[in-house]
Amino acid sequence: MNVRVRFAPSPTGYLHIGGARTALFNWLYARHTGGTFILRIEDTDTARNTQEATDVILHGLRWLGLDWDEGPATPDPKGASKGDCGPYFQSQRNDIYRKRIEELRDKGMAYEHEGAIKFKMGRDAVVIPDLVVGDVRRELTDREAVDPDFVIVRSDGQPVFHFVNVVDDLEMKITHVIRGEDHLTNTAKHIAMFRAFGVEAPKYAHIPLILNPDGTKMSKRDLGASLQTYVDEGFDPAAVVNYLSLLGWSPKENREKMPIEEIVQRFDLPQILRHNARFDMTKLQWLDGEYLRELPDDKFQTMAADAFRSAGVALDKFPASYVSAAIATCKGKVKRFSELPAYAGFYFADDVKIDPAVAATDFTLDNLARLKKFRDALDALSDFNASTIEQTIKATAKELGVKLGLLIHPTRLACTGSTSGPSLYHLMEVIGKPTVMKRLDSVLVAA
């Protein structure tokens, strides 16, 4: 069987992390089986759909690296994926829907009712074979027992979700429908329509929901619910993909950090878990930090520079070699790129701002006297590099008979405005002797 799967979001808002996970599972299964992954925008609800929401979906999938394989040719490269094809849009497929409506009417399976068109639903229970949940028997509710038929075209002429969803899956020859478990309640209707068209329904795999850590359903207001959060916060998309793959799917050997190639090789539907997944932001941040630490230097440099620019830091004012050296001191120190402006913004500031409360602790009279001694020793250096700076601070501490920290802490605060950051000796080398002397003197003069 040539596997064909699809992701079919509605462009009515942001891309929910659950939707992104559904897209990922479909993409992984297509890549695992050598099949086809289709993107279909379900935009028949013209009152709620927006172009902005469509753009968010396309950008989010591209950011995750989830390329789709077919669709109508598009002159717009922003919406394109493999073979320069755009996603399918249901709003552009009305002729197909009209023909399928007429087919159902001709078969006596659809009829007009108060200006709308309803599908004639069977009265017997429907058994839903599901690759994850198992066989589910769907009985009619008391209300449905009176009238189980349902609208497939509204009185304004717009086809509804249930109908276009089935027609598109039929037309696109979808073999597997992998979607959230919240859609399981719709599936009996969909199977009935496939049977009405005289074809077998696709194989269904309803995947577990993503819940908050406390077990409540994740809403759009909850932490981490929007994929855009991770884009804005500077997460590595590879880390997000890795983490999302583990929400409801379990590889053998309890592996956690895996390259995408290994995830594709291991991923299969029988390994999808039955129970709901709980979102753990702490674990995702840890995983993101691991990915950032292991990024190739050139990629880390590029992504870090983008993060600084996004925060309004004018990197173009500085030599490229200086920017590169500054960013290099941050690798392995942050868990996500959005932390960089606060962590290392001192590299690109004319002056640093020091919290008076912190200054009161580190800039005591005794510490300032020691700092003046260290400043004079630095001024005498002809080679101003990390090695000589380290040797000098250790020699000064030994001469003064104090612990090294009594020099390191006030020096760091004076040079960076912070009590933590990159390696002190390396950051001092990067910002250079003139800037170091200027910042130390600023503190000493103010005292």
Side-chain angles (χ1 to χ4, degrees), residues 26-98:
N26 278 276
W27 182 89
L28 287 171
Y29 191 59
R31 297 296 174 260
H32 175 77
T33 59
T36 300
F37 174 61
I38 292 170
L39 175 61
R40 186 173 78 215
I41 306 297
E42 297 195 336
D43 60 342
T44 56
D45 189 347
T46 55
R48 298 178 61 210
N49 299 332
T50 67
Q51 181 60 47
E52 181 182 7
T54 298
D55 292 341
V56 166
I57 292 169
L58 298 178
H59 177 265
L61 295 181
R62 287 195 296 267
W63 184 78
L64 290 170
L66 307 184
D67 51 340
W68 52 96
D69 299 316
E70 69 174 50
T74 174
D76 180 9
K78 292 192 301 180
S81 188
K82 284 188 177 180
D84 193 28
C85 63
Y88 290 101
F89 288 89
Q90 287 184 333
S91 59
Q92 300 171 4
R93 299 169 60 80
N94 286 324
D95 288 346
I96 296 172
Y97 305 142
R98 280 191 287 269

Side-chain angles (χ1 to χ4, degrees), residues 111-129:
Y111 59 93
E112 190 167 341
H113 177 75
E114 298 180 356
I117 298 176
K118 297 183 78 172
F119 176 78
K120 184 178 289 187
M121 185 70 177
R123 271 57 179 169
D124 297 329
V126 176
V127 176
I128 305 166

Side-chain angles (χ1 to χ4, degrees), residues 12-18 48 210 212 217-229:
T12 57
Y14 67 97
L15 181 55
H16 191 279
I17 200 69
R48 298 178 61 210
I210 299 176
N212 289 312
K217 186 176 180 180
M218 181 177 276
S219 73
K220 64 181 181 180
R221 294 176 296 277
D222 291 324
L223 177 66
S226 171
L227 183 68
Q228 191 62 37
T229 299

